Amino acid sequence: MTDRVPVLKIGAILLVSIQTDLEDQMVMDLQEDLSNRIVADDARGVVIDISALEIVDSFVGRMLATNAAISRVLGAETIVVGMRPAVAMTLVELGLSLQGVRTALNLERGLKLLRRLSASRA
């Protein structure tokens, strides 16, 4: 049995805090868990906190983009927060622009951005 990434609910927002390197099965489980929770909780936003990740590869970059796309199709905006400068540089060097993924420097800014986006959609 693999570990699962917790998905926490804060109002109409789901918080995913990635605290460990992701294995393939963990990513697949996260996609399923997150999409099910968006529907079950009628979530309007998702924050993915990657502040604990010191390195990324193309797999993690694609995972972020895929989760954001799935969330968007289900009606929830996604904000990736806590990206370290080295992680940002690596993603750019790998050619992964994370198109369609909004980012914020930290959790506080990410939540504020989601609230602004929600208010403009209402």
Side-chain angles (χ1 to χ4, degrees):
M1 184 168 133
T2 62
D3 291 328
R4 291 181 105 83
V5 176
V7 179
L8 307 173
K9 185 175 190 250
I10 304 170
I13 296 172
L14 298 177
L15 172 62
V16 178
S17 183
I18 300 172
Q19 298 294 315
T20 184
D21 291 332
L22 297 173
E23 299 170 10
D24 293 2
Q25 188 59 50
M26 289 175 73
V27 170
M28 300 307 293
D29 291 342
L30 175 58
Q31 286 177 352
E32 183 178 339
D33 293 347
L34 185 56
S35 59
N36 286 334
R37 289 290 302 272
I38 289 169
V39 172
D41 295 336
D42 194 24
R44 295 290 159 232
V46 174
V47 175
I48 301 176
D49 181 0
I50 62 168
S51 58
L53 295 183
E54 295 192 29
I55 58 169
V56 296
D57 56 15
S58 60
F59 178 71
V60 172
R62 285 192 312 273
M63 176 275 303
L64 293 171
T66 300
N67 276 326
I70 291 168
S71 298
R72 195 170 31 258
V73 168
L74 294 174
E77 285 292 330
T78 298
I79 310 289
V80 174
V81 302
M83 189 176 303
R84 297 171 185 236
V87 169
M89 287 185 268
T90 301
L91 288 172
V92 170
E93 288 170 359
L94 291 172
L96 298 170
S97 64
L98 299 184
Q99 197 165 1
V101 178
R102 296 179 190 263
T103 60
L105 289 178
N106 57 43
L107 179 58
E108 183 179 356
R109 287 186 179 187
L111 291 171
K112 191 175 185 179
L113 177 57
L114 271 178
R115 288 184 186 113
R116 244 190 357 251
L117 290 169
S118 291
S120 69
R121 290 168 69 187

